[in-house]
Amino acid sequence: MARFLFTTWEGGGHVQPMLLVARDLMTLGHDVLVLSDPCNCLDAAALDVPFGAWTTAPFQTGKSRDDDRLRDYEADNPLAVIQRLLDRVMTGPALAYATDTLAAIDAFAPDVIVSQELLTGPMAAAEARGLPLALLAANIWSLPTMAGAPPFGAGMLPATSDEERAMHAMVGQMSRTFFQAGLPDLNAARAALDLPPLNDVFDQLNVARSILLATSQAFDFAPSPLPAPFVHVGPYLADPTWVEPCAPPAAGGPLVVVSFSSLYQAQEAVLREIIAALGTLAVRALVTTGPAIDPAEFEAADNVAVVRSAPHGRLLAQTALFITHAGHGSTLRPLMAGVPLLCLPMGRDQHDNAARVTHRGAGLTLAADAKAPVIAAAVNRLLNEPRFKVRAQALGERIQADEAARSAATSLEILALKPRTIRRR
């Protein structure tokens, strides 16, 4: 049996998939340890996954709006978003993350390191010790390193002409250039670890022997076949541990469920417009605000219940429409239940997820600043035009098949059996 050290950070929807993969490895008889922010310890405990907390690296002790250290909703352009990501997660604290990872390596003696794709510090630590490294991305690939995929962030569709391919290449190269602002910090961390400097931030990813995309191939726009070392391993999705029992309003009408990010993205305004729109319609609606926002901040009509959380897994069987920011989990889970989506993306991977939904005819997308009458009109279309339900069911069946065949644990077992380089100390 092998030993696997997982490293991640409190970035929302990618934490639980990593915990689920770790649990699968435990079920197969392997030893695991997950290193993450202290606020994720309860999530790990609920799955009986051994857990350790960052101490030198930045960490969060809670999941409220005040705990979020990225605060990318305050940035007013893509470059500012990337700079925050570099300074606060990806390269600025790279040495701190590497230091904690090295301490965990010494204490736990793993055979394989599995890290989240934005943490260059643990990648460098694995390189310094000559340990096999895998990256686990619980979403579509978010970095400008995959040839043949649409650029991340803007919700672009696959290129169908030379002109579109040239546009994709230009946008991808521009994004790649923006990330190079983090190279001095990353190389400083590498120097402290006695590693040679890199010429490109993304050269650090070359240490990974495998990059596991924990999403559905049927949902993705990635090229087929995927270029090495990428591999689709299927989605890992479940209700978070902090979900509490909740019943939707008992009034008649189709059930509409609303779920926005578990992280704070300044989503109060869009939630208020959605609540106002649903209050004018012959529906019963359940709005979940997540741990970052107090439901008491919102006023709602009698047919709309506003709560902090609800067991979406159980509710989806009776749900007619799902309204979401289009985070990865909040997009795939309704589709797997055959439920059409109304997407109001606010950033991160959300525009890209929404593009995949609308391109397949499984829902509609509105701007996050859409007003209540526009939202109400879109809800009426999605509830009254059967084609959206038909397309959502067709796409959902393919995503279900990918989930049933998910293979991250198997891929990691294979990696543990491969010859390794000599550990450096």
PDB file of all heavy atoms in Angstrom, residues 386-415:
ATOM      1  N   PRO A 386     -40.005  23.073 -23.308  1.00  0.00           N
ATOM      2  CA  PRO A 386     -39.525  21.726 -22.954  1.00  0.00           C
ATOM      3  C   PRO A 386     -38.124  21.404 -23.458  1.00  0.00           C
ATOM      4  O   PRO A 386     -37.459  20.536 -22.902  1.00  0.00           O
ATOM      5  CB  PRO A 386     -40.575  20.803 -23.601  1.00  0.00           C
ATOM      6  CG  PRO A 386     -41.790  21.647 -23.765  1.00  0.00           C
ATOM      7  CD  PRO A 386     -41.289  23.031 -24.023  1.00  0.00           C
ATOM      8  N   ARG A 387     -37.657  22.091 -24.494  1.00  0.00           N
ATOM      9  CA  ARG A 387     -36.364  21.732 -25.074  1.00  0.00           C
ATOM     10  C   ARG A 387     -35.227  21.878 -24.076  1.00  0.00           C
ATOM     11  O   ARG A 387     -34.238  21.133 -24.135  1.00  0.00           O
ATOM     12  CB  ARG A 387     -36.089  22.582 -26.310  1.00  0.00           C
ATOM     13  CG  ARG A 387     -35.971  24.080 -26.065  1.00  0.00           C
ATOM     14  CD  ARG A 387     -35.861  24.849 -27.387  1.00  0.00           C
ATOM     15  NE  ARG A 387     -35.795  26.282 -27.186  1.00  0.00           N
ATOM     16  CZ  ARG A 387     -34.670  26.971 -27.040  1.00  0.00           C
ATOM     17  NH1 ARG A 387     -33.501  26.342 -27.081  1.00  0.00           N
ATOM     18  NH2 ARG A 387     -34.694  28.279 -26.872  1.00  0.00           N
ATOM     19  N   PHE A 388     -35.340  22.814 -23.128  1.00  0.00           N
ATOM     20  CA  PHE A 388     -34.272  22.984 -22.144  1.00  0.00           C
ATOM     21  C   PHE A 388     -34.178  21.759 -21.238  1.00  0.00           C
ATOM     22  O   PHE A 388     -33.076  21.289 -20.928  1.00  0.00           O
ATOM     23  CB  PHE A 388     -34.507  24.247 -21.317  1.00  0.00           C
ATOM     24  CG  PHE A 388     -34.363  25.525 -22.099  1.00  0.00           C
ATOM     25  CD1 PHE A 388     -35.475  26.300 -22.405  1.00  0.00           C
ATOM     26  CD2 PHE A 388     -33.117  25.961 -22.537  1.00  0.00           C
ATOM     27  CE1 PHE A 388     -35.357  27.474 -23.123  1.00  0.00           C
ATOM     28  CE2 PHE A 388     -32.981  27.134 -23.264  1.00  0.00           C
ATOM     29  CZ  PHE A 388     -34.108  27.897 -23.567  1.00  0.00           C
ATOM     30  N   LYS A 389     -35.322  21.249 -20.820  1.00  0.00           N
ATOM     31  CA  LYS A 389     -35.334  20.051 -19.984  1.00  0.00           C
ATOM     32  C   LYS A 389     -34.784  18.854 -20.751  1.00  0.00           C
ATOM     33  O   LYS A 389     -33.982  18.070 -20.217  1.00  0.00           O
ATOM     34  CB  LYS A 389     -36.770  19.764 -19.533  1.00  0.00           C
ATOM     35  CG  LYS A 389     -36.963  18.472 -18.751  1.00  0.00           C
ATOM     36  CD  LYS A 389     -36.434  18.581 -17.352  1.00  0.00           C
ATOM     37  CE  LYS A 389     -36.819  17.371 -16.523  1.00  0.00           C
ATOM     38  NZ  LYS A 389     -36.236  17.413 -15.170  1.00  0.00           N
ATOM     39  N   VAL A 390     -35.157  18.707 -22.007  1.00  0.00           N
ATOM     40  CA  VAL A 390     -34.680  17.591 -22.822  1.00  0.00           C
ATOM     41  C   VAL A 390     -33.164  17.656 -22.971  1.00  0.00           C
ATOM     42  O   VAL A 390     -32.454  16.637 -22.815  1.00  0.00           O
ATOM     43  CB  VAL A 390     -35.372  17.606 -24.204  1.00  0.00           C
ATOM     44  CG1 VAL A 390     -34.740  16.584 -25.138  1.00  0.00           C
ATOM     45  CG2 VAL A 390     -36.861  17.330 -24.048  1.00  0.00           C
ATOM     46  N   ARG A 391     -32.628  18.837 -23.259  1.00  0.00           N
ATOM     47  CA  ARG A 391     -31.179  18.973 -23.436  1.00  0.00           C
ATOM     48  C   ARG A 391     -30.432  18.763 -22.112  1.00  0.00           C
ATOM     49  O   ARG A 391     -29.346  18.166 -22.099  1.00  0.00           O
ATOM     50  CB  ARG A 391     -30.853  20.348 -24.003  1.00  0.00           C
ATOM     51  CG  ARG A 391     -31.427  20.599 -25.407  1.00  0.00           C
ATOM     52  CD  ARG A 391     -30.675  19.805 -26.458  1.00  0.00           C
ATOM     53  NE  ARG A 391     -31.165  20.089 -27.800  1.00  0.00           N
ATOM     54  CZ  ARG A 391     -30.750  21.112 -28.557  1.00  0.00           C
ATOM     55  NH1 ARG A 391     -29.842  21.961 -28.087  1.00  0.00           N
ATOM     56  NH2 ARG A 391     -31.232  21.282 -29.769  1.00  0.00           N
ATOM     57  N   ALA A 392     -31.007  19.251 -21.013  1.00  0.00           N
ATOM     58  CA  ALA A 392     -30.369  19.050 -19.716  1.00  0.00           C
ATOM     59  C   ALA A 392     -30.321  17.569 -19.363  1.00  0.00           C
ATOM     60  O   ALA A 392     -29.310  17.072 -18.836  1.00  0.00           O
ATOM     61  CB  ALA A 392     -31.115  19.830 -18.639  1.00  0.00           C
ATOM     62  N   GLN A 393     -31.384  16.840 -19.654  1.00  0.00           N
ATOM     63  CA  GLN A 393     -31.399  15.399 -19.373  1.00  0.00           C
ATOM     64  C   GLN A 393     -30.365  14.667 -20.219  1.00  0.00           C
ATOM     65  O   GLN A 393     -29.655  13.776 -19.717  1.00  0.00           O
ATOM     66  CB  GLN A 393     -32.795  14.838 -19.629  1.00  0.00           C
ATOM     67  CG  GLN A 393     -33.832  15.253 -18.593  1.00  0.00           C
ATOM     68  CD  GLN A 393     -35.230  14.777 -18.941  1.00  0.00           C
ATOM     69  OE1 GLN A 393     -35.585  14.670 -20.129  1.00  0.00           O
ATOM     70  NE2 GLN A 393     -36.028  14.491 -17.926  1.00  0.00           N
ATOM     71  N   ALA A 394     -30.257  15.041 -21.493  1.00  0.00           N
ATOM     72  CA  ALA A 394     -29.294  14.360 -22.371  1.00  0.00           C
ATOM     73  C   ALA A 394     -27.861  14.597 -21.915  1.00  0.00           C
ATOM     74  O   ALA A 394     -27.042  13.669 -21.839  1.00  0.00           O
ATOM     75  CB  ALA A 394     -29.491  14.835 -23.810  1.00  0.00           C
ATOM     76  N   LEU A 395     -27.530  15.861 -21.594  1.00  0.00           N
ATOM     77  CA  LEU A 395     -26.186  16.168 -21.110  1.00  0.00           C
ATOM     78  C   LEU A 395     -25.956  15.533 -19.746  1.00  0.00           C
ATOM     79  O   LEU A 395     -24.873  14.984 -19.467  1.00  0.00           O
ATOM     80  CB  LEU A 395     -25.990  17.683 -21.041  1.00  0.00           C
ATOM     81  CG  LEU A 395     -24.643  18.183 -20.525  1.00  0.00           C
ATOM     82  CD1 LEU A 395     -23.484  17.613 -21.326  1.00  0.00           C
ATOM     83  CD2 LEU A 395     -24.607  19.719 -20.531  1.00  0.00           C
ATOM     84  N   GLY A 396     -26.970  15.568 -18.900  1.00  0.00           N
ATOM     85  CA  GLY A 396     -26.841  15.008 -17.564  1.00  0.00           C
ATOM     86  C   GLY A 396     -26.560  13.517 -17.571  1.00  0.00           C
ATOM     87  O   GLY A 396     -25.790  13.012 -16.742  1.00  0.00           O
ATOM     88  N   GLU A 397     -27.154  12.794 -18.498  1.00  0.00           N
ATOM     89  CA  GLU A 397     -26.906  11.351 -18.588  1.00  0.00           C
ATOM     90  C   GLU A 397     -25.441  11.071 -18.935  1.00  0.00           C
ATOM     91  O   GLU A 397     -24.837  10.136 -18.411  1.00  0.00           O
ATOM     92  CB  GLU A 397     -27.829  10.724 -19.630  1.00  0.00           C
ATOM     93  CG  GLU A 397     -29.284  10.653 -19.171  1.00  0.00           C
ATOM     94  CD  GLU A 397     -30.208  10.171 -20.269  1.00  0.00           C
ATOM     95  OE1 GLU A 397     -29.726   9.909 -21.398  1.00  0.00           O
ATOM     96  OE2 GLU A 397     -31.425  10.072 -20.014  1.00  0.00           O
ATOM     97  N   ARG A 398     -24.868  11.881 -19.793  1.00  0.00           N
ATOM     98  CA  ARG A 398     -23.462  11.692 -20.156  1.00  0.00           C
ATOM     99  C   ARG A 398     -22.545  12.048 -18.991  1.00  0.00           C
ATOM    100  O   ARG A 398     -21.530  11.381 -18.760  1.00  0.00           O
ATOM    101  CB  ARG A 398     -23.135  12.546 -21.377  1.00  0.00           C
ATOM    102  CG  ARG A 398     -23.912  12.143 -22.635  1.00  0.00           C
ATOM    103  CD  ARG A 398     -23.641  13.109 -23.774  1.00  0.00           C
ATOM    104  NE  ARG A 398     -22.248  13.073 -24.175  1.00  0.00           N
ATOM    105  CZ  ARG A 398     -21.658  14.024 -24.889  1.00  0.00           C
ATOM    106  NH1 ARG A 398     -22.344  15.115 -25.247  1.00  0.00           N
ATOM    107  NH2 ARG A 398     -20.385  13.910 -25.241  1.00  0.00           N
ATOM    108  N   ILE A 399     -22.902  13.088 -18.235  1.00  0.00           N
ATOM    109  CA  ILE A 399     -22.105  13.443 -17.058  1.00  0.00           C
ATOM    110  C   ILE A 399     -22.210  12.343 -16.011  1.00  0.00           C
ATOM    111  O   ILE A 399     -21.210  11.980 -15.367  1.00  0.00           O
ATOM    112  CB  ILE A 399     -22.568  14.798 -16.484  1.00  0.00           C
ATOM    113  CG1 ILE A 399     -22.319  15.920 -17.505  1.00  0.00           C
ATOM    114  CG2 ILE A 399     -21.842  15.108 -15.176  1.00  0.00           C
ATOM    115  CD1 ILE A 399     -22.906  17.261 -17.106  1.00  0.00           C
ATOM    116  N   GLN A 400     -23.397  11.787 -15.831  1.00  0.00           N
ATOM    117  CA  GLN A 400     -23.568  10.678 -14.887  1.00  0.00           C
ATOM    118  C   GLN A 400     -22.671   9.503 -15.249  1.00  0.00           C
ATOM    119  O   GLN A 400     -22.078   8.859 -14.373  1.00  0.00           O
ATOM    120  CB  GLN A 400     -25.023  10.215 -14.880  1.00  0.00           C
ATOM    121  CG  GLN A 400     -25.970  11.099 -14.098  1.00  0.00           C
ATOM    122  CD  GLN A 400     -27.378  10.522 -14.075  1.00  0.00           C
ATOM    123  OE1 GLN A 400     -27.594   9.349 -14.348  1.00  0.00           O
ATOM    124  NE2 GLN A 400     -28.335  11.370 -13.746  1.00  0.00           N
ATOM    125  N   ALA A 401     -22.577   9.209 -16.536  1.00  0.00           N
ATOM    126  CA  ALA A 401     -21.722   8.103 -16.969  1.00  0.00           C
ATOM    127  C   ALA A 401     -20.262   8.386 -16.624  1.00  0.00           C
ATOM    128  O   ALA A 401     -19.528   7.482 -16.195  1.00  0.00           O
ATOM    129  CB  ALA A 401     -21.879   7.878 -18.469  1.00  0.00           C
ATOM    130  N   ASP A 402     -19.830   9.632 -16.780  1.00  0.00           N
ATOM    131  CA  ASP A 402     -18.454   9.985 -16.413  1.00  0.00           C
ATOM    132  C   ASP A 402     -18.241   9.890 -14.906  1.00  0.00           C
ATOM    133  O   ASP A 402     -17.174   9.473 -14.452  1.00  0.00           O
ATOM    134  CB  ASP A 402     -18.121  11.403 -16.899  1.00  0.00           C
ATOM    135  CG  ASP A 402     -17.918  11.472 -18.405  1.00  0.00           C
ATOM    136  OD1 ASP A 402     -17.654  10.415 -19.013  1.00  0.00           O
ATOM    137  OD2 ASP A 402     -18.027  12.572 -18.967  1.00  0.00           O
ATOM    138  N   GLU A 403     -19.256  10.264 -14.128  1.00  0.00           N
ATOM    139  CA  GLU A 403     -19.122  10.143 -12.677  1.00  0.00           C
ATOM    140  C   GLU A 403     -19.038   8.677 -12.269  1.00  0.00           C
ATOM    141  O   GLU A 403     -18.244   8.302 -11.394  1.00  0.00           O
ATOM    142  CB  GLU A 403     -20.295  10.810 -11.967  1.00  0.00           C
ATOM    143  CG  GLU A 403     -20.103  10.822 -10.456  1.00  0.00           C
ATOM    144  CD  GLU A 403     -21.377  11.068  -9.677  1.00  0.00           C
ATOM    145  OE1 GLU A 403     -22.443  10.602 -10.108  1.00  0.00           O
ATOM    146  OE2 GLU A 403     -21.299  11.705  -8.610  1.00  0.00           O
ATOM    147  N   ALA A 404     -19.859   7.827 -12.889  1.00  0.00           N
ATOM    148  CA  ALA A 404     -19.857   6.405 -12.539  1.00  0.00           C
ATOM    149  C   ALA A 404     -18.506   5.758 -12.833  1.00  0.00           C
ATOM    150  O   ALA A 404     -18.132   4.780 -12.185  1.00  0.00           O
ATOM    151  CB  ALA A 404     -20.970   5.682 -13.298  1.00  0.00           C
ATOM    152  N   ALA A 405     -17.785   6.299 -13.816  1.00  0.00           N
ATOM    153  CA  ALA A 405     -16.487   5.721 -14.207  1.00  0.00           C
ATOM    154  C   ALA A 405     -15.307   6.516 -13.651  1.00  0.00           C
ATOM    155  O   ALA A 405     -14.187   6.364 -14.125  1.00  0.00           O
ATOM    156  CB  ALA A 405     -16.397   5.661 -15.729  1.00  0.00           C
ATOM    157  N   ARG A 406     -15.527   7.335 -12.638  1.00  0.00           N
ATOM    158  CA  ARG A 406     -14.457   8.216 -12.162  1.00  0.00           C
ATOM    159  C   ARG A 406     -13.261   7.401 -11.683  1.00  0.00           C
ATOM    160  O   ARG A 406     -13.418   6.316 -11.109  1.00  0.00           O
ATOM    161  CB  ARG A 406     -14.967   9.158 -11.084  1.00  0.00           C
ATOM    162  CG  ARG A 406     -15.481   8.533  -9.822  1.00  0.00           C
ATOM    163  CD  ARG A 406     -16.189   9.581  -8.984  1.00  0.00           C
ATOM    164  NE  ARG A 406     -16.454   9.093  -7.628  1.00  0.00           N
ATOM    165  CZ  ARG A 406     -17.093   9.803  -6.712  1.00  0.00           C
ATOM    166  NH1 ARG A 406     -17.527  11.028  -6.994  1.00  0.00           N
ATOM    167  NH2 ARG A 406     -17.289   9.317  -5.502  1.00  0.00           N
ATOM    168  N   SER A 407     -12.074   7.955 -11.895  1.00  0.00           N
ATOM    169  CA  SER A 407     -10.875   7.114 -11.822  1.00  0.00           C
ATOM    170  C   SER A 407      -9.665   7.795 -11.195  1.00  0.00           C
ATOM    171  O   SER A 407      -8.536   7.370 -11.427  1.00  0.00           O
ATOM    172  CB  SER A 407     -10.507   6.660 -13.238  1.00  0.00           C
ATOM    173  OG  SER A 407     -10.275   7.785 -14.087  1.00  0.00           O
ATOM    174  N   ALA A 408      -9.871   8.829 -10.392  1.00  0.00           N
ATOM    175  CA  ALA A 408      -8.719   9.516  -9.813  1.00  0.00           C
ATOM    176  C   ALA A 408      -7.891   8.594  -8.923  1.00  0.00           C
ATOM    177  O   ALA A 408      -6.658   8.590  -8.985  1.00  0.00           O
ATOM    178  CB  ALA A 408      -9.179  10.742  -9.029  1.00  0.00           C
ATOM    179  N   ALA A 409      -8.561   7.809  -8.084  1.00  0.00           N
ATOM    180  CA  ALA A 409      -7.827   6.925  -7.171  1.00  0.00           C
ATOM    181  C   ALA A 409      -6.991   5.914  -7.952  1.00  0.00           C
ATOM    182  O   ALA A 409      -5.827   5.653  -7.611  1.00  0.00           O
ATOM    183  CB  ALA A 409      -8.798   6.213  -6.231  1.00  0.00           C
ATOM    184  N   THR A 410      -7.570   5.355  -9.005  1.00  0.00           N
ATOM    185  CA  THR A 410      -6.833   4.386  -9.822  1.00  0.00           C
ATOM    186  C   THR A 410      -5.625   5.044 -10.478  1.00  0.00           C
ATOM    187  O   THR A 410      -4.526   4.461 -10.511  1.00  0.00           O
ATOM    188  CB  THR A 410      -7.753   3.786 -10.892  1.00  0.00           C
ATOM    189  OG1 THR A 410      -8.864   3.152 -10.255  1.00  0.00           O
ATOM    190  CG2 THR A 410      -7.011   2.774 -11.734  1.00  0.00           C
ATOM    191  N   SER A 411      -5.806   6.252 -11.000  1.00  0.00           N
ATOM    192  CA  SER A 411      -4.689   6.965 -11.630  1.00  0.00           C
ATOM    193  C   SER A 411      -3.572   7.224 -10.634  1.00  0.00           C
ATOM    194  O   SER A 411      -2.377   7.112 -10.969  1.00  0.00           O
ATOM    195  CB  SER A 411      -5.187   8.285 -12.227  1.00  0.00           C
ATOM    196  OG  SER A 411      -6.106   8.067 -13.283  1.00  0.00           O
ATOM    197  N   LEU A 412      -3.932   7.562  -9.401  1.00  0.00           N
ATOM    198  CA  LEU A 412      -2.920   7.835  -8.390  1.00  0.00           C
ATOM    199  C   LEU A 412      -2.226   6.550  -7.934  1.00  0.00           C
ATOM    200  O   LEU A 412      -1.018   6.570  -7.636  1.00  0.00           O
ATOM    201  CB  LEU A 412      -3.556   8.564  -7.204  1.00  0.00           C
ATOM    202  CG  LEU A 412      -4.026   9.994  -7.514  1.00  0.00           C
ATOM    203  CD1 LEU A 412      -4.816  10.564  -6.355  1.00  0.00           C
ATOM    204  CD2 LEU A 412      -2.841  10.897  -7.844  1.00  0.00           C
ATOM    205  N   GLU A 413      -2.967   5.457  -7.874  1.00  0.00           N
ATOM    206  CA  GLU A 413      -2.332   4.174  -7.565  1.00  0.00           C
ATOM    207  C   GLU A 413      -1.264   3.831  -8.606  1.00  0.00           C
ATOM    208  O   GLU A 413      -0.164   3.382  -8.268  1.00  0.00           O
ATOM    209  CB  GLU A 413      -3.372   3.061  -7.528  1.00  0.00           C
ATOM    210  CG  GLU A 413      -4.188   2.983  -6.259  1.00  0.00           C
ATOM    211  CD  GLU A 413      -5.064   1.742  -6.236  1.00  0.00           C
ATOM    212  OE1 GLU A 413      -5.775   1.496  -7.226  1.00  0.00           O
ATOM    213  OE2 GLU A 413      -5.043   1.030  -5.229  1.00  0.00           O
ATOM    214  N   ILE A 414      -1.585   4.038  -9.867  1.00  0.00           N
ATOM    215  CA  ILE A 414      -0.630   3.751 -10.942  1.00  0.00           C
ATOM    216  C   ILE A 414       0.604   4.633 -10.800  1.00  0.00           C
ATOM    217  O   ILE A 414       1.746   4.174 -10.967  1.00  0.00           O
ATOM    218  CB  ILE A 414      -1.303   3.945 -12.309  1.00  0.00           C
ATOM    219  CG1 ILE A 414      -2.398   2.882 -12.511  1.00  0.00           C
ATOM    220  CG2 ILE A 414      -0.282   3.891 -13.443  1.00  0.00           C
ATOM    221  CD1 ILE A 414      -3.265   3.119 -13.730  1.00  0.00           C
ATOM    222  N   LEU A 415       0.392   5.903 -10.465  1.00  0.00           N
ATOM    223  CA  LEU A 415       1.518   6.819 -10.293  1.00  0.00           C
ATOM    224  C   LEU A 415       2.434   6.362  -9.159  1.00  0.00           C
ATOM    225  O   LEU A 415       3.669   6.465  -9.251  1.00  0.00           O
ATOM    226  CB  LEU A 415       1.003   8.232 -10.017  1.00  0.00           C
ATOM    227  CG  LEU A 415       2.050   9.332  -9.856  1.00  0.00           C
ATOM    228  CD1 LEU A 415       2.912   9.447 -11.100  1.00  0.00           C
ATOM    229  CD2 LEU A 415       1.368  10.663  -9.551  1.00  0.00           C
TER     230      LEU A 415
END
